[in-house]
Amino acid sequence: MDISIQFKKGALELCVLVLIHERDRYGYELAQSVSEHIEVAEGALYPLLRRLVIEGYCTTYLQESTGGPPRKYYKLTPAGEIHMNKLVIEWKQFVRNVSTLIEKGTSSDE
Amino acid sequence: MNKSEYLALLHSHLSDLPPEERNELMEDYQAHFAFALQNGRSEADVIQELGHPAELAKEALGNRLPQEPIYWFGPGSPSSNHVPDPGPVPPVTPVTPHRGSFATAMVYTGLFFVDIIIGPLLLTLWSLWFALAAMAVGGLVSPFALGLEYLWYGELYQAKAFAVLALVGIGILLAIVSKRTFKDIKNLTLSFWAWHTRTVRGEQQYE
């Protein structure tokens, strides 16, 4: 349980970057989209998003919404796209390596 | 816990952050509540989904806490907040470098000269030790020799008995000395040998 939380936290940045890459999204929308796929404390998104902005991977802009507060949209910068691609490659490699290890380890059991 | 209690708790947990950063995050959470309620979610659901304020605060503080102390004042350039990317881990190369034939020849030549100095030196040390040990053994067995002599000839010289006393004392002392020197010489020989094999194989690490 605890370990799986760590996994999710690690993957969260990547998921968010990919979702913003798909199209500009605002915070609540991102929370909804992320929790469609992985179960995570949605509140953790906002510190993460802030960090992405500080690091120059995202920019924000406000858009008025009907009957609610203005939506703060997040937009991926070119640097953010490079960062995302790097993370995607690293992620795939990591998953592949771990899967290979697991397969090797569990098949030699028998 | 309702929405305003949750936000108040969150606000207090975020008190270590610089005020403008805290306000920005608080606005984000307020907006989150607004959108969620607009979509027909209950406050309790939203609170459940957001996670505990202490956890969120740890998340918010964790982005900066390990790298630098938090200042409430000063310009604080935003770029100094994030950790520099450590970059990809360099691939681990096997430690055994393959020497060329020339280098190998030079290493063996060098080792040869070292060996013809160190080898005899070690041998000398060992023979010295052997002499020491032999003297110790001689001293310690001298009472038996005296006893044998007495059994054989049936007579005992007092002078010899006193000499044996002294010899046993010397033997004990020499035995102690030789035991210590044995350890030292053994360690010296073994470490020289270990160094020798390492040099031959050209490994960097110690065994």
Side-chain angles (χ1 to χ4, degrees), chain A residues 9 26-28 31-32 40-48 50-51 54-55 57 65-72 74 83 86 90, chain B residues 20-21 24-25 28-32 34-36 38-39 41 49-51 55-56 59-60 63-64 78-79 81-83 85 87-88:
Chain A
K9 269 189 194 166
Y26 64 103
Y28 181 72
Q32 296 297 99
V40 68
E42 291 176 7
L45 270 179
Y46 295 102
L48 170 68
R50 217 193 110 77
R51 184 166 61 79
I54 288 171
E55 288 177 346
Y57 298 142
S65 69
T66 47
R71 294 169 174 178
K72 188 154 89 177
Y74 293 85
H83 181 63
K86 209 184 84 187
E90 276 177 16
Chain B
E20 81 275 11
E21 197 173 329
E24 206 184 309
L25 277 174
D28 286 337
Y29 288 115
Q30 270 156 1
H32 185 97
F35 291 124
Q38 209 179 10
N39 285 11
R41 312 299 308 271
E49 284 163 1
L50 277 176
E55 287 296 314
L56 303 187
E59 206 69 34
N63 290 337
R64 46 192 308 149
S79 62
N81 272 342
H82 76 270
V83 222
D85 186 48

Side-chain angles (χ1 to χ4, degrees), chain A residues 7-49:
Chain A
F7 284 162
K8 285 169 190 167
K9 269 189 194 166
L12 192 58
E13 180 175 347
L14 177 57
C15 294
V16 165
L17 284 168
V18 170
L19 284 168
I20 301 172
H21 177 249
E22 202 180 347
R23 63 164 191 268
D24 296 359
R25 290 172 196 259
Y26 64 103
Y28 181 72
E29 186 189 359
L30 272 171
Q32 296 297 99
S33 320
V34 167
S35 48
E36 258 174 46
H37 300 282
I38 51 175
E39 196 184 308
V40 68
E42 291 176 7
L45 270 179
Y46 295 102
L48 170 68
L49 285 168

Side-chain angles (χ1 to χ4, degrees), chain B residues 3-207:
Chain B
K3 174 187 155 188
S4 53
E5 281 168 344
Y6 181 88
L7 288 174
L9 191 59
L10 190 60
H11 193 260
S12 70
H13 274 291
L14 292 176
S15 58
D16 280 345
L17 286 175
E20 81 275 11
E21 197 173 329
R22 172 162 70 164
N23 290 341
E24 206 184 309
L25 277 174
M26 289 311 297
E27 276 172 24
D28 286 337
Y29 288 115
Q30 270 156 1
H32 185 97
F33 266 105
F35 291 124
L37 296 177
Q38 209 179 10
N39 285 11
R41 312 299 308 271
S42 75
E43 284 185 7
D45 279 352
V46 180
I47 287 167
Q48 171 78 27
E49 284 163 1
L50 277 176
H52 196 273
E55 287 296 314
L56 303 187
K58 225 168 37 179
E59 206 69 34
L61 293 166
N63 290 337
R64 46 192 308 149
L65 201 57
Q67 295 94 41
E68 54 171 2
I70 294 162
Y71 297 114
W72 278 49
F73 44 84
S77 64
S79 62
S80 70
N81 272 342
H82 76 270
V83 222
D85 186 48
V89 180
V92 180
T93 46
V95 279
T96 320
H98 291 283
R99 281 196 286 241
S101 52
F102 176 73
T104 310
M106 291 317 283
V107 165
Y108 281 124
T109 314
L111 277 179
F112 170 74
F113 283 110
V114 171
D115 287 352
I116 59 169
I117 304 292
I118 302 286
L121 209 72
L122 284 173
L123 213 65
T124 313
L125 275 174
W126 276 113
S127 20
L128 274 174
W129 175 81
F130 186 78
L132 216 66
M135 276 157 74
V137 171
L140 288 171
V141 300
S142 58
F144 299 100
L146 189 70
L148 277 178
E149 192 190 52
Y150 173 69
L151 286 176
W152 197 260
Y153 296 108
E155 51 190 343
L156 188 68
Y157 295 105
Q158 259 190 348
K160 278 190 180 171
F162 281 114
V164 160
L165 272 182
L167 279 175
V168 170
I170 293 170
I172 290 170
L173 290 177
L174 285 179
I176 293 168
V177 172
S178 61
K179 194 187 156 205
R180 282 188 191 165
T181 44
F182 174 76
K183 253 205 279 185
D184 292 340
I185 301 176
K186 192 188 95 180
N187 287 340
L188 200 70
T189 312
L190 285 180
S191 51
F192 173 69
W193 179 248
W195 172 81
H196 195 278
T197 47
R198 268 205 310 278
T199 315
V200 168
R201 275 185 288 177
E203 284 171 13
Q204 301 290 323
Q205 82 270 41
Y206 288 87
E207 290 163 313

